[in-house]
Amino acid sequence: MQKWVRVSVAVLLTCLLLGEASAQGALKKRLAPPKTPKGQCCDEVRSLKVQVANLTSVLEELRGKQEADLMTIMRQMMELDQLSRRQEERVTEAESKYSEINNRVEIIQMQGAQAHTRTSSEALYDCASLYSRNYKISGEYKLPADDYLGTPELDVYCDMDTNGGGWTVIQRRKVGLSNFSRDWKQYKKGFGTIRGDFWLGNEHIFRMTRQPTTLRIEMEDWEGETRYAEYGFFTISNELNSYKLFIANYSGNAGDSLRYHNNTNFSSKDKDNDKCVDDCAALRKGGYWYNCCTDSNLNGVYYRNGQHNKHSGDGITWYGWHGPSYSMKRVEMKIRPQGFRP
Ligand SMILES: [Ca+2]
């Protein structure tokens, strides 16, 4: 369209010039008998001039329209950009909701069992106490708040099957969509989804391990093999003492890769309490009892099958089994009182 107009203008301008030239020629050859009458020529020039003026205004109009079109396109591009950003946000949201949806399959068990919680022997403060009250099915339970013990209401996952049951799960990695590079506060109160990936919370772990406690760590690799490490003694100190780890009495077939972390403080991405010049929580991208830095990194980055052995030391590692460059497919950490009898 534009090109056509430009060509037309060029043709018209040529005509105009030719017209004027011929008019001048006519003047020069005044003596020669005129081939066309003078009035007709001037009329043609005038009408051509009018046409040029018209075309110029059409051109200007077109230029204006073009600018408006450009603005519209710019606006549309910005809208598209916003749309894609919103879609990205939606994907992130969907990812975080995935584990919840994935795990809403079973109902929360036990609702009526919250009535009689007068004394500590009757209190339901972990899965072992639920087990002793005949709740023997593995799954999600809601522990009631207890004024006597000063404990809050808490959602827990109980493993009532493994090696006699009574286990309160304090950590799980299996879905791989939750980020475990979190700050001190989040590690303190816990995060994630109780049926998916989660950290129960250092404050809850501290409270539950004030009685003599056993820790069991189960892992699965990408070939489907499973191993475990058990510590007959496990406790952590309070927040003032940076939830320092104490473990002893290893048994199992995964190797003793928590021993190196014994007697170390808990570190998170905003609290470097490790025994290293480096910032281990930042390097290993988790919250853990970092020494300098790791012999295991159970709260590291979840890597999928294709990348599980291509990470840079920040994966979910257990050196005693697969070394420093193999990230596990699945991990569960669980605790129960030492004196537990099924
Ligand atoms: Ca450090």
Side-chain angles (χ1 to χ4, degrees):
M1 178 73 182
Q2 229 181 301
K3 200 176 271 179
W4 176 84
V5 170
R6 246 184 248 143
V7 169
S8 304
V9 170
V11 167
L12 276 167
L13 282 170
T14 315
C15 286
L16 191 65
L17 286 169
L18 282 173
E20 274 178 350
S22 75
Q24 276 172 6
L27 277 171
K28 274 176 192 167
K29 295 168 191 167
R30 204 181 281 176
L31 293 174
K35 274 171 195 167
T36 48
K38 194 188 170 191
Q40 197 187 330
C41 163
C42 290
D43 281 348
E44 275 174 9
V45 169
R46 217 172 292 131
S47 95
L48 279 169
K49 275 183 176 168
V50 168
Q51 283 185 49
V52 167
N54 284 345
L55 279 163
T56 310
S57 78
V58 167
L59 258 180
E60 254 157 39
E61 205 179 296
L62 274 169
R63 202 177 300 135
K65 198 169 168 289
Q66 202 185 3
E67 261 167 39
D69 283 351
L70 200 68
M71 290 292 282
T72 311
I73 288 168
M74 294 273 278
R75 210 176 305 128
Q76 281 172 345
M77 275 170 71
M78 277 164 77
E79 275 170 10
L80 271 172
D81 190 44
Q82 271 181 337
L83 200 73
S84 79
R85 220 172 295 156
R86 230 173 292 145
Q87 256 161 352
E88 251 172 57
E89 276 166 27
R90 242 175 260 157
V91 167
T92 316
E93 202 182 312
E95 274 186 346
S96 71
K97 271 184 185 164
Y98 170 83
S99 46
E100 283 175 55
I101 293 161
N102 188 39
N103 293 301
R104 253 181 229 156
V105 184
E106 291 173 50
I107 54 156
I108 296 178
Q109 301 173 345
M110 201 207 79
Q111 247 125 30
Q114 304 180 5
H116 321 283
T117 50
R118 286 274 171 270
T119 66
S120 64
S121 64
E122 282 179 334
L124 297 166
Y125 50 83
D126 63 5
C127 294
S129 56
L130 280 171
Y131 190 96
S132 64
R133 295 274 287 274
N134 271 319
Y135 294 95
K136 296 184 176 176
I137 298 164
S138 291
E140 187 179 347
Y141 290 85
K142 193 180 277 296
L143 298 174
D146 193 296
D147 293 338
Y148 184 86
L149 292 170
T151 56
E153 186 181 85
L154 181 65
D155 285 331
V156 289
Y157 192 94
C158 299
D159 175 352
M160 303 302 205
D161 297 303
T162 303
N163 201 17
W167 300 99
T168 306
V169 180
I170 60 170
Q171 186 256 27
R172 188 190 292 115
R173 311 298 301 274
K174 70 167 184 182
V175 181
L177 293 173
S178 292
N179 178 17
F180 271 59
S181 182
R182 308 256 186 159
D183 62 22
W184 187 263
K185 265 188 189 163
Q186 287 173 299
Y187 269 100
K188 178 184 175 178
K189 69 179 179 69
F191 58 83
T193 316
I194 211 73
R195 291 188 166 275
D197 294 5
F198 70 93
W199 180 254
L200 187 65
N202 287 336
E203 203 55 36
H204 300 302
I205 298 169
F206 159 66
R207 188 164 46 75
M208 285 180 180
T209 60
R210 276 183 297 188
Q211 61 180 327
T213 301
T214 297
L215 167 71
R216 184 182 170 93
I217 302 167
E218 291 158 4
M219 343 166 200
E220 184 183 339
D221 66 13
W222 291 95
E223 284 68 49
E225 200 188 328
T226 57
R227 299 269 177 106
Y228 77 99
E230 211 170 286
Y231 294 88
F233 178 82
F234 167 63
T235 190
I236 64 173
S237 60
N238 61 13
E239 187 179 15
L240 269 176
N241 294 297
S242 301
Y243 300 117
K244 188 181 249 191
L245 172 72
F246 301 98
I247 41 127
N249 302 337
Y250 164 84
S251 63
N253 57 8
D256 185 0
S257 289
L258 206 55
R259 180 208 291 264
Y260 179 66
H261 301 266
N262 196 14
N263 280 306
T264 60
N265 295 328
F266 198 89
S267 291
S268 56
K269 70 173 182 184
D270 57 334
K271 267 208 173 116
D272 178 0
N273 293 327
D274 58 41
K275 297 178 177 171
C276 209
V277 182
D278 293 324
D279 182 351
C280 293
L283 282 173
R284 300 292 192 250
K285 299 193 180 77
Y288 206 56
W289 301 279
Y290 289 114
N291 188 330
C292 190
C293 286
T294 45
D295 196 38
S296 59
N297 190 34
L298 299 181
N299 289 335
V301 180
Y302 193 97
Y303 287 95
R304 309 218 162 260
N305 197 11
Q307 316 111 40
H308 72 270
N309 51 8
K310 290 178 189 141
H311 59 87
S312 50
D314 56 6
I316 303 169
T317 52
W318 189 268
Y319 292 17
W321 183 15
H322 274 303
S325 50
Y326 188 105
S327 188
M328 297 294 164
K329 180 187 180 186
R330 184 186 168 98
V331 175
E332 256 181 24
M333 299 172 74
K334 47 193 78 170
I335 55 172
R336 75 178 177 194
Q338 269 176 20
F340 177 83
R341 295 289 170 267

